[in-house]
Amino acid sequence: MLSTSMLSRRLISSRSSSITWLRSPVLVRRSTNTTTNNAAKQTASKSESSTAQSTTTTTSTKSSEQIATDASKSFAERNPFVFQLGVATAKTSAADILVQVVVDKKKWNEIDYKRNAIFVVFGFAYLGGFQYWLMVNKFNKWFPTRTRFAKLPLAEKVKDVAGMMDAAKMVAFDVFVHLPLIYFPSYYTCKEIVTGTSWNPLVWVKDGCTKYWNNKEEDCLAMIKLWGPSDCIQFSMPIHISMPFRHMVSFFWTAYVSFTRGGVEDDEQEGASQVKRRLSVSGDSA
């Protein structure tokens, strides 16, 4: 009996100590901290979820707005390079055909398509390709105010000194560097590629540059008269309009070049006239 009562007392004592230990402040704090941490994690998870949802919603809204904005733009605004490339190729061919039919009085079955091919190749490769790279890609880097200046209304353009200075620099570069030193040599070389009899690229360049040198005074004077005023307008226009505008002006320039430098026989006549002029200057002519 004594041993049984003592065993009962020990069991009751151990249970009491266990309950006391479970109710100790340390354990209460730990359980409270655990509950708080779990709640904080759940709150953070909900916050991240809501943030992700709002980000997704914002992104989808922006993409929808972007799609709507792109849809409202014209084809020229969405695809400026492709648009001006087509305009450059078509207008050079059309200008030459116009000169052959209207000025040279040729019938449609008499059109010199080999001569027309000069302008098609040159319009596509140089005017549509290289000229876009130069006047859009490179000019935007060399003249940093161009894009901003082009978007301003006329009243604000007049007040923008830096933009006007860059526009003047672009005009000067085009008239005194690009056209006389790159455009004309390229055109005459392209003409030699199409009409020449040699397959040597060095001969194409040599003959083309020689013919350009013989015509440089007349060609450069006509170039300055047309492209000087035209550039002042072009380089104040938005980018997607400036190149098509240049190609439209170039339609009349191409007609001039086609009329004065288009045919193969023109080179022979000019060569003869050059010889006559030299003879007359030296006093050897009758």
Side-chain angles (χ1 to χ4, degrees):
M1 291 293 292
L2 181 59
S3 62
T4 303
S5 62
M6 289 179 65
L7 181 59
S8 299
R9 287 176 183 175
R10 287 178 183 176
L11 288 175
I12 292 170
S13 176
S14 65
R15 285 179 183 176
S16 300
S17 62
S18 299
I19 292 171
T20 304
W21 182 78
L22 287 173
R23 291 180 179 177
S24 67
V26 176
L27 289 179
V28 170
R29 275 196 218 101
R30 286 181 180 175
S31 82
T32 304
N33 291 339
T34 303
T35 304
T36 305
N37 291 337
N38 290 337
K41 288 180 180 179
Q42 290 177 359
T43 304
S45 177
K46 289 180 181 179
S47 176
E48 290 176 359
S49 177
S50 61
T51 302
Q53 289 177 358
S54 64
T55 303
T56 304
T57 304
T58 304
T59 304
S60 62
T61 303
K62 287 183 178 180
S63 62
S64 300
E65 291 176 355
Q66 184 67 32
I67 292 172
T69 303
D70 292 341
S72 64
K73 290 182 179 179
S74 63
F75 180 81
E77 290 178 285
R78 296 195 308 270
N79 306 279
F81 173 73
V82 175
F83 177 73
Q84 65 86 37
L85 183 66
V87 172
T89 306
K91 67 89 187 172
T92 47
S93 176
D96 175 61
I97 291 177
L98 178 68
V99 169
Q100 292 195 50
V101 172
V102 176
V103 180
D104 298 342
K105 306 296 184 183
K106 291 183 179 181
K107 297 180 180 179
W108 286 99
N109 58 354
E110 297 174 342
I111 291 176
D112 185 352
Y113 288 103
K114 188 174 183 180
R115 162 180 159 173
N116 188 256
I118 300 171
F119 294 94
V120 171
V121 172
F122 189 72
F124 178 85
Y126 186 91
L127 301 181
F130 172 79
Q131 204 166 238
Y132 184 91
W133 171 82
L134 176 66
M135 294 191 170
V136 176
N137 296 346
K138 304 309 291 183
F139 273 23
N140 286 345
K141 293 180 180 179
W142 296 341
F143 310 105
T145 64
R146 185 192 180 185
T147 303
R148 176 183 57 78
F149 181 75
K151 294 178 180 179
L152 295 176
L154 181 59
E156 295 297 326
K157 281 185 171 72
V158 177
K159 300 176 184 178
D160 190 346
V161 178
M164 292 182 67
M165 289 294 295
D166 272 355
K169 291 176 185 177
M170 287 187 281
V171 173
F173 183 90
D174 189 38
V175 172
F176 296 110
V177 178
H178 168 231
L179 291 173
L181 301 182
I182 304 175
Y183 169 84
F184 276 121
S186 300
Y187 167 74
Y188 280 96
T189 301
C190 182
K191 183 177 179 181
E192 289 303 309
I193 294 173
V194 177
T195 62
T197 57
S198 173
W199 290 97
N200 188 343
L202 295 178
V203 175
W204 298 337
V205 175
K206 177 179 175 294
D207 291 349
C209 291
T210 300
K211 290 175 181 178
Y212 166 53
W213 184 256
N214 294 334
N215 301 323
K216 65 182 183 302
E217 294 179 3
E218 183 180 356
D219 287 347
C220 288
L221 181 60
M223 173 264 297
I224 291 173
K225 288 180 179 179
L226 176 65
W227 289 111
S230 172
D231 282 352
C232 294
I233 300 173
Q234 177 195 344
F235 294 128
S236 63
M237 289 181 163
I239 302 298
H240 70 280
I241 300 176
S242 64
M243 291 307 295
F245 170 80
R246 184 179 184 87
H247 296 323
M248 290 297 98
V249 175
S250 181
F251 178 88
F252 301 99
W253 173 255
T254 304
Y256 162 78
V257 174
S258 173
F259 178 67
T260 58
R261 307 283 181 254
V264 178
E265 64 277 4
D266 295 337
D267 296 333
E268 298 174 356
Q269 293 174 2
E270 285 195 18
S273 64
Q274 289 281 346
V275 173
K276 288 181 180 179
R277 283 199 293 270
R278 290 170 185 166
L279 290 174
S280 64
V281 170
S282 62
D284 292 339
S285 60

